Amino acid sequence: SGRLSSKVERAHPTMMNADMDAVEAENQVELEEKTRLINQVLELQHTLEDLSARVDAVKEENLKLKSENQVLGQYIENLMSASSVFQTTDTKSKRK
């Protein structure tokens, strides 16, 4: 029985080491997966920031163009009201 217990004692640390190695390998895989996911999240955040900045720039450009269009529209309206050609057309359409 003494011989048997010494064999078990000698085998036991080896099994513990194998189990620890397996757990360590599993932890390493989890760590790599977490690192990959964190990098992916950071990349997506940067993409979102870039898109947000682009949207802001487009909004600003849109407001500028709307303002220019209003000025041009008013200018065209003023030209049309000052022109006898358009005044005649307006008079004819009012008679109908």
Side-chain angles (χ1 to χ4, degrees), residues 19-72:
D19 289 343
M20 288 174 64
D21 288 346
V23 168
E24 219 174 278
E26 190 176 314
N27 287 343
Q28 183 63 31
V29 168
E30 285 180 16
L31 182 62
E32 288 171 1
E33 179 67 9
K34 284 180 184 178
T35 302
R36 187 185 67 79
L37 289 173
I38 288 170
N39 288 335
Q40 191 175 10
V41 166
L42 291 172
E43 185 178 330
L44 290 171
Q45 282 179 336
H46 290 122
T47 301
L48 181 59
E49 288 171 0
D50 292 344
L51 288 172
S52 182
R54 178 70 180 130
V55 165
D56 290 343
V58 168
K59 280 182 180 178
E60 191 175 313
E61 181 69 15
N62 187 36
L63 288 173
K64 181 180 164 190
L65 291 173
K66 275 185 180 180
S67 175
E68 289 175 4
N69 282 343
Q70 285 178 338
V71 169
L72 288 173

Side-chain angles (χ1 to χ4, degrees), residues 69-84 86-87 90:
N69 282 343
Q70 285 178 338
V71 169
L72 288 173
Q74 188 63 49
Y75 177 72
I76 290 169
E77 198 176 298
N78 291 343
L79 284 176
M80 288 172 55
S81 66
S83 169
S84 60
F86 290 107
Q87 286 176 356
D90 285 345

